[in-house]
Amino acid sequence: MRAIVKTAPEPGALELREVETPVPRPGQALIKITGAGICGTDIAIWRWHEQIVGQYNAIFPLVPGHEMAGTVVESTTGELAPGTLVGVNPQIACGRCEYCAVGRSTLCVRRVFIGGGINGGWAEYAVVPEKNCFAVPEGCDPAVAPLMEPLAVAAHAVIERVPPVPGDLVAVIGCGPIGLLTLVLARNAGAANVVVTGTRADAARLELARELGGIPVNIDETDPVDVVRSLGWDGADIVYETSGNPAVPEQAISMARRGGRLALVGLASRPSELLMTPIVLRELELIGSRGYSESTWNALLRVLPAVHVDALKVVSHRMPLTDVETALELLTSSRSANKILLVP
């Protein structure tokens, strides 16, 4: 089969290769990939930002790609019918540590990440644990399957870590795919208004935020703090930071009302400074949101029929696997690209 291979822990080092089709071991399924996304973590793997990707303890050569979906070819347990379309939870938790025992598998001390530490979905086929496969709910557009992983990231933040209540004023910093999917889920949860920020270069993404029911703010022209305070007397009830920009924590703090909650979702590749005094004086809650747990995927399955149409609007390009470097360059050089799916 054809696969994109990261050959070494250094910038670049991506090759299209012919490799052996993997054979599933007991408890695994072989899936034929129908689509695999590219996200910020994949860009960090491509550029090799050690602060982000060092956590995965990658084995080389590595097939990247953790946002994947496919149809089941072979199920070693017989629990997945051949032809079933599944999204894949790429996080393999040990199931035995204290964090797994209390249902917080994203904090597993022996966590292995498909596409980060072991081979992933930038290929024609992949083997994955069957328990990590989630069938696309009936009535959903099959095209949404590769978006289930980034949707799970947003769902962990919006449904589990920092859930809004109906009527809340929400702000989302960053209008990339995770920011836009956070908007979709926050609106579905009943948020009255969702402000989404971006820069002048994000014009197309901000327009999409408007289409998805958000209130777009170009921070090059308008102070987002003024916008949220015009909508809520003291600021936003919840601020989701999805950009990973190390320069924005101060802005996030200023956008939140007294007693508000800040969810940090984005991963920064550089250190940031955090002003502690405003957090103390305003009694803000600062909450990290990393990935997802098994409970997140089950929660996502319940809301997916209601959000799949809007979620699909986040996809800007579908490109062949052979064009992966073009896709990576497009994502890093142009804000007109949003979510790119690689199709073998």
Side-chain angles (χ1 to χ4, degrees):
M1 70 170 188
R2 293 179 306 169
I4 300 299
V5 176
K6 177 81 174 178
T7 59
E10 60 189 38
L14 284 182
E15 295 180 6
L16 177 66
R17 289 183 176 179
E18 284 287 338
V19 300
E20 292 289 330
T21 301
V23 177
R25 299 191 301 272
Q28 292 183 326
L30 174 67
I31 64 171
K32 183 176 182 179
I33 300 295
T34 57
I38 302 175
C39 88
T41 299
D42 298 311
I43 291 171
I45 290 173
W46 174 47
R47 290 178 164 172
W48 204 254
H49 291 156
E50 183 69 31
Q51 186 169 348
I52 294 175
V53 299
Q55 63 178 305
Y56 298 132
N57 300 313
I59 299 172
F60 296 95
L62 170 74
V63 177
H66 61 276
E67 297 181 3
M68 74 182 94
T71 55
V72 175
V73 176
E74 180 183 348
S75 164
T76 58
T77 68
E79 294 181 5
L80 291 172
T84 301
L85 178 63
V86 296
V88 176
N89 172 0
Q91 175 181 269
I92 303 175
C94 75
R96 299 184 300 276
C97 70
E98 292 187 8
Y99 294 110
C100 287
V102 296
R104 300 191 69 181
S105 55
T106 195
L107 302 179
C108 173
V109 297
R110 288 179 285 273
R111 174 179 182 263
V112 176
F113 202 59
I114 300 172
I118 60 175
N119 287 341
W122 286 4
E124 293 180 303
Y125 295 89
V127 291
V128 295
E130 291 194 29
K131 65 182 180 64
N132 288 52
C133 295
F134 293 82
V136 176
E138 192 172 337
C140 290
D141 188 326
V144 81
L147 293 181
M148 290 172 69
E149 193 277 346
L151 271 165
V153 173
H156 186 52
V158 176
I159 298 176
E160 296 182 318
R161 296 293 287 154
V162 190
V165 297
D168 268 356
L169 170 58
V170 169
V172 179
I173 296 178
C175 54
I178 298 300
L180 293 171
L181 294 174
T182 298
L183 157 63
V184 169
L185 291 174
R187 291 284 292 164
N188 185 68
N193 290 296
V194 182
V195 173
V196 181
T197 70
T199 66
R200 185 176 295 108
D202 294 312
R205 293 178 175 185
L206 289 172
E207 187 54 39
L208 178 55
R210 187 191 310 278
E211 182 182 343
L212 293 171
I215 300 171
V217 177
N218 175 350
I219 64 171
D220 291 329
E221 299 176 356
T222 306
D223 187 342
V225 177
D226 291 341
V227 175
V228 295
R229 290 184 179 173
S230 72
L231 296 167
W233 69 277
D234 193 35
D237 298 289
I238 299 172
V239 179
Y240 296 100
E241 201 301 297
T242 72
S243 72
N245 185 336
V248 301
E250 184 177 355
Q251 182 186 80
I253 291 168
S254 299
M255 293 171 72
R257 66 167 174 80
R258 291 169 177 83
R261 293 175 291 163
L262 275 63
L264 302 183
V265 184
L267 294 175
S269 59
R270 305 187 310 277
S272 62
E273 293 184 3
L274 191 64
L275 299 177
M276 295 175 60
T277 301
I279 297 173
V280 175
L281 296 180
R282 298 169 67 83
E283 287 203 342
L284 301 178
E285 295 181 50
L286 195 62
I287 302 166
S289 182
R290 176 195 189 189
Y292 31 71
S293 295
E294 280 76 6
S295 60
T296 317
W297 284 76
N298 290 318
L300 174 61
L301 293 180
R302 292 192 292 271
V303 302
L304 194 58
V307 303
H308 71 105
V309 173
D310 279 342
L312 277 169
K313 296 175 183 177
V314 174
V315 178
S316 60
H317 298 73
R318 290 176 172 84
M319 302 175 70
L321 193 65
T322 51
D323 288 352
V324 63
E325 294 224 41
T326 301
L328 289 164
E329 293 284 359
L330 183 61
L331 279 172
T332 53
S333 64
S334 171
R335 298 291 183 91
S336 62
N338 201 18
K339 173 58 67 180
I340 296 179
L341 298 181
L342 298 174
V343 182

